[in-house]
């Protein structure tokens, strides 16, 4: 998601490259499919309300959470009407995203979503669209439906505490400067991230052996030892950067 008042996103550069390949690969396709989005939304809600965020957080943590929601300018504010019914793991995911947006000197508005835009572009051109992950994998990642409730509450508490810790990395500023240090390197010791990157590298390897493919994945998957770029290098590929001016002109 981008604030195009702060980042000059060169759409024509990418559509030209997509036209050369005549097919694209996304982390997940179908983001423009309302039924898939509805399925994700459904899984964000607790299956039973006997245990929920409202009655499971201690008073101090719950007050911190409600203060975050009340002061939110971005994603968290939409959670207020259903705060007690959202899975704790989902709230944790949203809090981390809110922190990244709040902590950036660049971020003001969400007004462009490249992945959706280019998927729709490929559909109009009737190019083949493939994906590296499934909607079920994305739901498991965000919603963690099989995670024990008490464990998900602990993860939520960590996110609440972490929200107030100053982070030295401005993710969006680094993105605009094309610096791939988007998150702290410790994040990449997370087994979930490593496994996703390995799966993406395998999928990309299989795709581009067959034909040129324009691949769109989140930039946080690219850097560090277990990042997709290094994993592809180990498979024998030569990685060359394509420099683009993202500074607002």
């Amino acid at each position: 998601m981008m604030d195009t008042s702060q980042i000059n996103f060169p759409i024509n550069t990418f559509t030209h490259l997509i036209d050369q390949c005549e097919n694209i690969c996304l982390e997940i396709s179908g983001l423009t499919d309302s039924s898939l989005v509805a399925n994700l939304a459904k899984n964000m809600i607790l299956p039973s309300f006997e245990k929920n965020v409202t009655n499971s957080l201690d008073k101090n943590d719950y007050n911190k959470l409600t203060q975050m929601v009340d002061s939110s300018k971005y994603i968290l504010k939409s959670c207020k009407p259903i705060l007690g019914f959202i899975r704790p793991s989902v709230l944790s995911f949203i809090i981390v995203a809110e922190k990244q947006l709040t902590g950036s000197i660049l971020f003001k508005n969400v007004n462009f979503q490249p992945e959706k835009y280019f998927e729709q572009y490929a559909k109009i051109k009737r190019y083949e669209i493939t994906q590296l992950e499934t909607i079920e994998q994305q739901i498991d990642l965000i919603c963690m439906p099989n995670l024990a409730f008490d464990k998900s509450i602990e993860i939520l508490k960590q996110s609440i505490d972490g929200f107030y810790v100053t982070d030295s990395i401005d993710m969006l500023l680094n993105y605009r400067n094309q610096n791939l240090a988007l998150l702290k390197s410790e994040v990449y010791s997370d087994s979930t991230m490593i496994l996703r990157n390995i799966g993406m590298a395998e999928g990309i390897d299989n795709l581009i052996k067959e034909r040129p493919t324009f691949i769109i994945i989140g930039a946080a998957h690219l850097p560090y030892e277990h990042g997709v770029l290094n994993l592809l290098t180990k498979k024998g590929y030569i990685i060359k950067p394509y420099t683009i001016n993202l500074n607002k002109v």
Side-chain angles (χ1 to χ4, degrees):
M1 300 184 296
M2 308 205 167
D3 176 359
T4 51
S5 68
Q6 302 294 319
I7 296 177
N8 177 36
F9 196 78
I11 293 175
N12 291 341
T13 298
F14 293 110
T15 53
H16 171 70
L17 293 170
I18 291 171
D19 289 339
Q20 287 185 321
C21 296
E22 297 190 353
N23 67 98
I24 68 170
C25 176
L26 309 167
E27 275 189 39
I28 179 171
S29 66
L31 290 175
T32 55
D33 186 330
S34 59
S35 64
L36 292 182
V37 175
N39 191 22
L40 176 59
K42 178 182 176 182
N43 281 274
M44 290 171 65
I45 303 300
L46 286 163
S48 168
F49 304 141
E50 184 178 345
K51 285 186 176 182
N52 58 55
V53 169
T54 305
N55 60 32
S56 299
L57 284 175
D58 62 43
K59 185 176 180 180
N60 184 45
D61 284 326
Y62 187 73
N63 286 340
K64 287 181 182 178
L65 177 61
T66 54
Q67 287 170 13
M68 286 180 202
V69 173
D70 288 339
S71 62
S72 168
K73 297 178 181 178
Y74 308 116
I75 311 169
L76 265 175
K77 64 181 178 182
S78 63
C79 299
K80 187 172 183 176
I82 54 170
L83 191 60
F85 308 128
I86 302 174
R87 289 182 188 270
S89 52
V90 173
L91 272 176
S92 175
F93 185 91
I94 293 172
I95 287 170
V96 172
E98 181 90 11
K99 179 184 177 181
Q100 291 168 350
L101 301 181
T102 305
S104 177
I105 64 172
L106 290 183
F107 199 85
K108 291 187 178 71
N109 302 289
V110 174
N111 53 23
F112 181 61
Q113 298 183 47
E115 195 169 14
K116 285 187 177 181
Y117 179 90
F118 293 121
E119 180 178 13
Q120 191 61 42
Y121 177 82
K123 283 183 176 180
I124 292 170
K125 301 283 281 192
R126 297 190 177 182
Y127 295 153
E128 184 174 347
I129 302 171
T130 53
Q131 61 184 14
L132 294 172
E133 296 179 327
T134 65
I135 186 65
E136 289 76 19
Q137 287 172 309
Q138 291 279 322
I139 289 173
D140 283 346
L141 174 70
I142 297 172
C143 303
M144 301 183 186
N146 298 319
L147 186 68
F149 183 83
D150 291 345
K151 178 64 177 175
S152 69
I153 286 290
E154 288 302 314
I155 292 173
L156 176 59
K157 288 179 180 179
Q158 291 171 15
S159 298
I160 291 171
D161 291 338
F163 187 84
Y164 296 100
V165 176
T166 302
D167 197 329
S168 60
I169 292 179
D170 183 333
M171 182 179 70
L172 297 184
L173 182 61
N174 280 10
Y175 181 88
R176 189 179 71 175
N177 294 336
Q178 298 183 64
N179 175 354
L180 287 181
L182 301 177
L183 300 171
K184 291 182 177 179
S185 58
E186 304 91 86
V187 172
Y188 295 87
S189 63
D190 183 323
S191 60
T192 300
M193 175 66 87
I194 292 173
L195 288 173
R196 289 185 70 202
N197 289 350
I198 290 171
M200 286 182 180
E202 290 290 338
I204 291 169
D205 181 31
N206 292 332
L207 279 170
I208 59 182
K209 279 179 179 176
E210 298 294 327
R211 59 181 177 177
T213 304
F214 189 88
I215 297 161
I216 302 173
I217 61 174
H221 291 288
L222 299 178
Y224 303 118
E225 179 184 358
H226 300 293
V228 170
L229 294 182
N230 193 47
L231 294 173
L232 289 173
T233 299
K234 288 181 178 180
K235 292 179 179 294
Y237 291 99
I238 298 172
I239 309 296
K240 295 181 180 179
Y242 189 100
T243 302
I244 300 169
N245 179 20
L246 294 177
N247 291 306
K248 187 66 183 175
V249 293

